[in-house]
Amino acid sequence: MTIPLVVGIDGSEESLQAVDWAAGEAARHGVPLHLVHAAAPAQETFEPVTAAAERARKGAPTVRLSSEVLHEDAASALVGKGRNAFALVLGSRGLGDLAGMLLGSVSLAVAARADCPVVVVRGAADHRDDRFGSIVVGVEDGQGSGTAVWFALREAHVRRCRLVAVHAWSASFGASARPPPPPWYALEAHRRPPAQVLDDALRDLAERYRDATVSRQVVEGPARQALLAAASDADLLVVGARRRHGHLGLQLGLTNHAVLHHAPCPIAVVPQI
């Protein structure tokens, strides 16, 4: 049985935009689409589900569609469904979020706790409708980006679009500065050159998706600024997230929080395997 792409719905326009995006994604990958609405026990309404199902059928009539209403809080319901999902897709805000919030509390909670990739559908229509032909993935030094790079390459492959791999770095010292070595000096000295970080991250996976067009960007500066700039003309931004040692959930970190709140396009948070 093929695991479904799960989309959370609540009747808001943002959740319907997420349904539109998820329907296209399910069609691209040939997976079922499952609509989930979380409601309080006293609320036996299926109106959000009906409206979302109509949107999904209109956008992707060949996709196998199912739906359900769960009587528990939305974040817990979606995280539970994410244990057996191709990915979770959410709107950037829901009906219950406070005015002025950049990202809804449910979307942020699910992105921090889910076992599968979580896509938060953000941005204007041109970013949501795949008009740029480009996917951006953030690559960090270490092992935290491997699954994110694989996810991004697979997306570029099925969409037949360009992948832009971005690695941001910062120099430890100025050329003439000679401060006393801090405790992390030895680790800093053994870091790989920035270009090699990208080469190593892409080498094996690029062989699997040889038809994908991949470009590399090495940027000196904060990662959040580099990723947001690259995402300005992208259809999807992909970032990785490490798992917490000894704790449930993921280490989203400052960079992931920044792009979740400010990305101009849909953003996928992919847990490290």
Side-chain angles (χ1 to χ4, degrees):
M1 179 178 177
T2 304
I3 60 175
L5 181 68
V6 176
V7 56
I9 56 174
D10 64 2
S12 66
E13 178 59 27
E14 287 83 357
S15 77
L16 291 176
Q17 291 170 0
V19 170
D20 293 339
W21 191 95
E25 182 77 349
R28 278 189 290 268
H29 289 277
V31 298
L33 182 62
H34 186 61
L35 310 177
V36 174
H37 174 55
Q43 295 177 320
E44 293 290 346
T45 175
F46 283 81
E47 290 181 7
V49 178
T50 302
E54 291 176 355
R55 281 280 275 261
R57 290 192 184 97
K58 181 178 179 180
T62 62
V63 168
R64 182 155 53 94
L65 183 65
S66 60
S67 62
E68 68 179 313
V69 175
L70 298 177
H71 296 296
E72 57 182 309
D73 73 274
S76 297
L78 291 166
V79 168
K81 288 297 175 180
R83 297 190 182 100
N84 189 35
F86 183 84
L88 289 169
V89 181
L90 309 169
S92 59
R93 287 178 54 194
L95 291 174
D97 289 311
L98 298 175
M101 289 186 68
L102 295 173
L103 181 70
S105 57
V106 171
S107 298
L108 188 60
V110 174
R113 292 166 52 193
D115 292 328
C116 68
V118 174
V119 179
V120 177
V121 178
R122 300 180 51 86
D126 55 350
H127 283 282
R128 301 194 308 269
D129 295 343
D130 304 325
R131 299 179 186 176
F132 291 93
S134 177
I135 292 174
V136 173
V137 61
V139 179
E140 61 179 328
D141 197 0
Q143 302 300 317
S145 302
T147 312
V149 172
W150 172 80
F151 180 96
L153 271 168
R154 184 183 63 180
E155 285 295 316
H157 171 73
V158 298
R159 295 165 182 250
R160 295 179 173 86
C161 73
R162 179 173 64 114
L163 177 66
V164 180
V166 178
H167 174 59
W169 68 285
S170 58
S172 300
F173 316 122
S176 59
R178 300 177 64 87
W184 40 264
Y185 177 81
L187 292 175
E188 188 74 23
H190 287 87
R191 282 187 177 177
R192 294 173 292 170
Q196 185 181 342
V197 172
L198 286 177
D199 289 343
D200 291 348
L202 294 166
R203 182 177 297 113
D204 294 337
L205 291 171
E207 285 293 315
R208 184 174 179 179
Y209 297 107
R210 294 185 180 182
D211 60 337
T213 300
V214 181
S215 62
R216 296 162 169 79
Q217 288 186 12
V218 174
V219 180
E220 184 175 0
R224 60 185 181 276
Q225 293 181 10
L227 292 173
L228 290 174
S232 63
D233 56 356
D235 301 313
L236 179 66
L237 171 61
V238 182
V239 294
R242 292 190 178 97
R243 299 191 182 277
R244 295 180 183 274
H245 294 294
H247 300 277
L248 296 176
L250 307 172
Q251 296 178 4
L252 289 183
L254 295 177
T255 297
N256 285 4
H257 273 277
V259 295
L260 278 166
H261 282 285
H262 298 288
C265 64
I267 174 170
V269 178
V270 183
Q272 176 186 357
I273 294 179

